[in-house]
Amino acid sequence: MSLPIGVLASGRGSNLEAIIRAREAGELPVELKVVISDKREARALRIAAEHGIPAEFLDPRAFPDRVSYDLALAARLKEAGVELVVLAGFMRILSPAFLEQFPLRVINIHPALLPAFPGLEAQRQAWEYGVKISGCTVHFVDVGVDTGPIIAQAAVTVEDGDTPETLAERILEQEHRLLPEAIRWIAQGRVRVQGRRVYVEK
Ligand code: GRF
């Protein structure tokens, strides 16, 4: 049994690539039903198309407001049979109207150890703050910004010679490992959520 997933991405698509690689290596029991972007030029769309995955641009400007866009997005994902929505660099906040349709069925990868440094440019925020350890977090998406229950985290040491860019590169390597792993746990039915706590069966 493979879990039908949909990926939402706005840009480079390296996390999408990591999911595709894991899938093609037979390490991920999922079926990539569709990749949708809010940016016509997103590299993620090209990557999806190259791998034979339906790749679609859904233009936010074609909708009067955020909720109607989100409802169209949810409808498209449902139509494609998606049961888990993976945000991989999707640069929009999803409204409750969207999330209600996929309860505990939307996950996100964030490039910091939440709850530290939510929001944009998390790697730069962490570097500027001067932390010695940062990393990345996979979490369920709730109505807040980067606030949902945490599924998995990986730590990355900040070195003296780091810049925000070199730190971001090392965090990204961990993202590419952690996101497919968390998806695999969910696909295998091993993840249970109790309030804020997420338990993963061994
Ligand atoms: C990643 O750093 C991810 O943590 C953040 O957005 C970036 C997306 O990168 N949410 P990519 O498009 O997957 O290469």
Side-chain angles (χ1 to χ4, degrees):
M1 268 280 290
S2 64
L3 179 69
I5 70 168
V7 175
L8 304 182
S10 299
R12 181 177 56 183
S14 72
N15 279 289
L16 169 67
E17 259 178 321
I19 296 167
I20 294 172
R21 260 200 311 275
R23 166 82 190 79
E24 289 178 352
E27 293 162 4
L28 204 50
V30 300
E31 197 180 335
L32 270 149
K33 289 290 192 185
V34 68
V35 172
I36 304 178
S37 182
D38 59 331
K39 298 273 189 283
R40 193 189 301 274
E41 303 305 329
R43 180 171 168 265
L45 289 179
R46 290 210 305 278
I47 293 168
E50 280 165 19
H51 288 266
I53 300 159
E56 300 173 11
F57 164 56
L58 191 62
D59 188 354
R61 284 171 305 185
F63 297 85
D65 52 33
R66 188 158 76 98
V67 169
S68 50
Y69 181 81
D70 285 5
L71 289 175
L73 196 56
R76 185 61 200 102
L77 290 161
K78 294 261 175 188
E79 192 188 9
V82 167
E83 287 177 21
L84 177 72
V85 181
V86 178
L87 309 185
F90 190 59
M91 301 306 285
R92 294 174 63 88
I93 311 286
L94 291 168
S95 54
F98 181 97
L99 295 172
E100 278 161 16
Q101 302 202 40
F102 293 95
L104 288 178
R105 283 284 156 191
V106 184
I107 66 170
N108 180 46
I109 174 90
H110 181 75
L113 292 178
L114 292 170
F117 313 118
L120 295 175
E121 294 202 59
Q123 307 95 324
R124 177 174 293 277
Q125 290 185 51
W127 182 85
E128 282 176 355
Y129 195 93
V131 295
K132 301 298 186 193
I133 298 174
S134 192
C136 54
T137 304
V138 179
H139 63 94
F140 286 107
V141 175
D142 66 7
V143 293
V145 176
D146 302 323
T147 53
I150 291 171
I151 304 165
Q153 294 187 300
V156 171
T157 305
V158 184
E159 306 295 343
D160 288 348
D162 266 332
T163 61
E165 290 73 26
T166 58
L167 177 60
E169 271 172 35
R170 290 207 310 290
I171 292 175
L172 192 63
E173 285 173 21
Q174 294 303 313
E175 294 182 36
H176 293 165
R177 186 182 59 75
L178 198 68
L179 182 58
E181 187 165 38
I183 295 171
R184 182 163 52 83
W185 295 340
I186 295 171
Q188 292 171 336
R190 290 161 59 193
V191 173
R192 188 167 53 84
V193 186
Q194 244 174 37
R196 280 215 59 87
R197 308 200 62 83
V198 178
Y199 297 94
V200 181
E201 270 172 37
K202 297 272 180 257

